[in-house]
Amino acid sequence: MTAPGLRERKKARTRQLIADAAARLFAERGYEQVAVSDVAREAEVSEQTVYNYFQTQDQLVTDRDRLIRARPAGTTPAAAIREFVLDSVEGIRRIPAEQWRGELGFLAAISPTVHRIALEMSDRQASALAAAIGETDAVPPEMAKLRGIALAGVFQIIITEAGRRTREGQSQNQIADQLRPAIEAVLDDLDRWFTPATD
């Protein structure tokens, strides 16, 4: 009974390792300048392993759409990504202090070029999330797009606030402590908005 759980956790760790490596390279070089082979080297896995988890390079930017497509019936898109989002906030604490100022949030706060890259990544993320919502919810394309933008905005808030607060001198623990309730409130609002009205 424990083996599948362990296997799934290992797969999740590998997926996160690859996604983190890709994010670092995109932030450093720009999306167009990074090849899948670069990500594989950075993550210390084979190219085939990268493709096992991410079929295209765009999916390396974000696979949050997978969470939406796989969500149980009756679960809103906001609820589907909630655990992932909150874990991202908690992950701020887990980044080694000596690496923290090399993360996307701080780099975007001090570099106009990286800031632009972060916005481009957010736009790609919004499009991927909108596509997933359009495939799984009975909503017009325009509404799916708006919801995708809203969900991508949650990740953008985390990136922006992490960078701003770091520049202001807050510690990683302070940032996570203060950001978590704010992000929970945003997700609660989005969940209410995405919940279909009942008569």
Side-chain angles (χ1 to χ4, degrees), residues 59 104 133 138 156:
Q59 288 179 358
L104 182 59
I133 291 168
Q156 188 62 40

Side-chain angles (χ1 to χ4, degrees), residues 15-194:
R15 174 183 285 274
Q16 190 62 50
L17 175 74
I18 294 169
D20 289 347
R24 284 195 300 273
L25 292 176
F26 293 152
E28 291 168 7
R29 306 180 192 175
Y31 176 79
E32 291 80 7
Q33 308 307 317
V34 176
V36 170
S37 58
D38 297 326
V39 175
R41 276 194 300 276
E42 179 75 8
E44 297 183 345
V45 299
S46 69
E47 283 188 55
Q48 185 56 54
T49 298
V50 175
Y51 283 118
N52 287 345
Y53 288 91
F54 302 93
Q55 294 178 359
T56 67
Q57 184 159 320
D58 275 351
Q59 288 179 358
L60 280 166
V61 177
T62 172
D63 69 334
R64 281 64 157 181
D65 54 311
R66 174 184 56 85
L67 298 173
I68 291 173
R69 287 189 175 91
R71 74 189 192 277
T75 303
T76 70
I81 67 166
R82 185 183 187 91
E83 183 178 346
F84 182 91
V85 171
L86 295 179
D87 186 63
S88 296
V89 175
E90 287 301 313
I92 291 171
R93 306 178 198 275
R94 299 191 293 266
I95 296 169
E98 64 273 14
Q99 294 180 23
W100 176 240
R101 289 178 178 260
E103 291 295 311
L104 182 59
F106 184 72
L107 292 174
I110 63 172
S111 165
T113 300
V114 178
H115 179 70
R116 177 182 53 79
I117 291 167
L119 291 177
E120 289 172 355
M121 288 173 63
S122 183
D123 187 57
R124 288 191 188 94
Q125 188 176 81
S127 295
L129 293 168
I133 291 168
E135 292 171 14
T136 56
D137 288 2
V139 295
E142 298 80 9
M143 184 59 71
K145 179 65 174 176
L146 182 58
R147 291 182 177 187
I149 291 170
L151 292 178
V154 178
F155 294 101
Q156 188 62 40
I157 289 169
I158 295 170
I159 292 168
T160 303
E161 284 299 303
R164 181 182 69 79
R165 292 166 186 262
T166 300
R167 288 191 75 178
E168 291 175 356
Q170 289 190 21
S171 71
Q172 290 167 243
N173 284 335
Q174 288 174 320
I175 294 169
D177 286 344
Q178 294 177 19
L179 203 49
R180 184 180 177 108
I183 295 300
E184 285 180 328
V186 169
L187 290 168
D188 288 344
D189 277 354
L190 287 177
D191 192 42
R192 283 191 289 271
W193 176 41
F194 291 172

